[in-house]
Amino acid sequence: MPHLPASSALQRFRVVDLTQVRAGPTACRQLADWGADVIQVQMPEHMRGDDTLGGQDGSDYQYTHRNKRSITLNLKEEEGVATLKRLIAKADVVVENFRPDVKFRLGIDYETLAEDNPGLVYASISGFGQSGPLASRPGFDQIAQGMGGLMSVTGLPGDGPVRVGIPIADLCAGIFAAQGILVALLEREASGRGQWLHTSLIEAMVYMMDFQTSRYLIDGEVGTQAGNFHPTSIPTGVYKARDGYINIAVFGSKIWERFCHILGAPEWIEDARYHDKASRSVNRDALNAEIDRRLAAHDRSHWIEQFNAGGVACGLISDMREVFEEPQIQHLGMVKHVVSPRLGPQRLVGQPMQLERTPSTIARAAPRRGEHTEEVLAELGIGPDDLARMKATGVY
């Protein structure tokens, strides 16, 4: 089956996906979801290592590789590499997450490929960058979370570092790579030239530290664990109502005054312990304990209604079942439906932004390894006899 674009937005672009695991496949999924013809290149079945996310029929793999086509090529065979180069010569984008030296050894680095395809946008994702003292070190999400500073500010004070519950360094590196690809494609419209772009898990993680970086670089402050409470804006964090926990966010003096009135404590507005942001920070433990005491008078639903009606942000702390039962999430249409030829109907989360004229959908379930090899190679002009020979000799 030929390319089925998930959107008309990027359907004119062809992307060769040479990535494995999560960061690279995430970048390519972003492009596929907006209509690019993403061709995933995998090792033949008899050569494959543990390069899939929970197995090809697993939910993780199905989510990450939807809207793509899959071919297999043996890059240990000279003809396999030659066929890959033939595919790339007609592509707009290549995405790879090999160790930095592998692409040069195979002769599929940017400079080599750009000789035949000067408009090529070539994206590399690594653990620590393409050069420097740690460039050859293997990268892994949790390693980047630790080295990038995230684990030092996550968790309860005194309990030791805590990882985030999703592979945030992988995901952010993939999303940043996709953004870089789109920037390079836009620039190509002006210059007519492609370029090499690269990001890494560690760069993504440091960038995502956001205000914690400016607290250090500008103010000289080293952030520490603040648990479930905002490190600088008090009171903002997790509080306990009569029947469970809620999040409350109080930013600014006006919101603080509204919060005090709703909670039935208008005297706090003039209380020297809580009068301004600095005082509330010094006395945060006493304030938080008093807030919990007052919240215990009513259930979560009462406080969520009261605070939001008064302009104070407040919400449930939901597990995944509760997330997808939330009427607002249902209204936003974030769950998309697709039918896998072998696994049946599936529900998957779609893109988190809406383009009204060129929306994204899920047009194709994740492919099986090599499902589209002969289809894609035939598009390159390789005939049936050569395809049969290549298969017999292990090229794909």
Side-chain angles (χ1 to χ4, degrees):
M1 184 183 296
H3 173 44
L4 294 175
S7 170
S8 61
L10 300 180
Q11 66 177 338
R12 67 189 184 276
F13 298 112
R14 171 169 281 188
V15 178
V16 177
D17 176 3
L18 302 178
T19 68
Q20 298 180 32
V21 191
R22 190 178 305 276
T26 294
C28 295
R29 182 196 65 216
Q30 293 300 102
L31 303 174
D33 278 2
W34 292 106
D37 182 11
V38 174
I39 299 173
Q40 181 187 16
V41 181
Q42 298 176 282
M43 294 183 292
E45 183 69 28
H46 68 279
M47 296 181 60
R48 72 179 183 89
D50 184 18
D51 61 348
T52 59
L53 301 168
Q56 291 206 325
D57 290 342
S59 58
D60 202 358
Y61 187 89
Q62 294 297 307
Y63 174 70
T64 303
H65 293 288
R66 82 275 186 103
N67 286 329
K68 302 178 184 179
R69 294 194 284 174
S70 172
I71 71 172
T72 56
L73 284 175
N74 182 357
L75 299 186
K76 294 184 178 180
E77 293 285 342
E78 186 174 325
E79 189 173 8
V81 175
T83 304
L84 175 62
K85 289 182 176 180
R86 189 169 171 179
L87 177 65
I88 292 172
K90 295 186 177 182
D92 298 282
V93 177
V94 168
V95 187
E96 62 86 15
N97 62 352
F98 298 122
R99 294 190 311 275
D101 63 304
V102 171
K103 54 184 164 287
F104 297 101
R105 178 163 49 81
L106 291 175
I108 54 171
D109 56 282
Y110 169 70
E111 294 294 342
T112 300
L113 296 176
E115 292 177 4
D116 293 325
N117 186 353
L120 182 67
V121 172
Y122 189 106
S124 297
I125 306 173
S126 62
F128 297 96
Q130 297 298 306
S131 61
L134 300 184
S136 62
R137 181 184 288 190
F140 187 75
D141 176 86
Q142 188 160 335
I143 304 301
Q145 286 195 34
M147 294 181 67
L150 180 60
M151 292 175 66
S152 73
V153 297
T154 304
L156 297 174
D159 280 0
V162 176
R163 67 178 292 275
V164 172
I166 58 171
I168 191 168
D170 277 336
L171 297 175
C172 290
I175 292 169
F176 291 153
Q179 181 182 6
I181 289 166
L182 296 177
V183 171
L185 289 172
L186 282 171
E187 193 280 336
R188 189 178 73 171
E189 293 182 0
S191 68
R193 299 170 58 198
Q195 58 183 303
W196 184 26
L197 67 100
H198 40 88
T199 189
S200 63
L201 305 190
I202 194 67
E203 288 170 284
M205 200 68 274
V206 171
Y207 184 83
M208 288 300 294
M209 292 305 291
D210 196 65
F211 77 93
Q212 296 283 15
T213 66
S214 59
R215 284 183 71 191
Y216 173 69
L217 294 174
I218 295 175
D219 301 329
E221 297 179 7
V222 176
T224 58
Q225 292 168 304
N228 287 318
F229 297 98
H230 194 280
T232 60
S233 182
I234 309 299
T236 294
V238 175
Y239 296 91
K240 191 173 184 179
R242 183 164 60 192
D243 64 340
Y245 293 96
I246 54 176
N247 273 316
I248 304 174
V250 178
F251 286 86
S253 59
K254 293 297 183 183
I255 305 299
W256 164 245
E257 292 176 8
R258 295 177 195 169
F259 172 79
C260 293
H261 283 289
I262 294 168
L263 200 57
E267 67 275 12
W268 288 356
I269 297 172
E270 302 300 331
D271 191 318
R273 297 172 300 164
Y274 310 141
H275 177 69
D276 55 26
K277 180 178 177 180
S279 298
R280 292 194 295 274
S281 182
V282 170
N283 297 289
R284 65 171 65 201
D285 291 340
L287 176 59
N288 286 335
E290 182 61 23
I291 290 171
D292 276 343
R293 189 183 69 79
R294 290 174 178 263
L295 290 174
H298 297 285
D299 289 347
R300 293 176 297 174
S301 58
H302 169 85
W303 292 117
I304 290 170
E305 180 180 354
Q306 292 295 311
F307 283 127
N308 282 290
V312 178
C314 179
L316 287 173
I317 299 171
S318 303
D319 61 23
M320 292 312 303
R321 176 181 57 80
E322 292 167 326
V323 167
F324 290 111
E325 289 177 350
E326 165 60 50
Q328 182 64 24
I329 300 298
Q330 295 175 0
H331 170 78
L332 292 171
M334 294 194 71
V335 176
K336 307 298 184 184
H337 298 265
V338 69
V339 177
S340 167
R342 63 188 184 281
L343 301 176
Q346 296 179 339
R347 295 187 303 159
L348 301 170
V349 171
Q351 285 293 311
M353 72 287 281
Q354 305 298 324
L355 273 64
E356 292 291 334
R357 187 168 52 79
T358 59
S360 169
T361 187
I362 300 179
R364 189 197 298 269
R368 287 197 66 77
R369 179 187 301 272
E371 181 178 334
H372 306 97
T373 302
E374 295 184 0
E375 170 187 304
V376 171
L377 297 188
E379 292 172 4
L380 298 179
I382 299 175
D385 292 342
D386 282 331
L387 287 173
R389 176 189 55 77
M390 292 168 69
K391 185 173 182 64
T393 56
V395 175
Y396 72 84

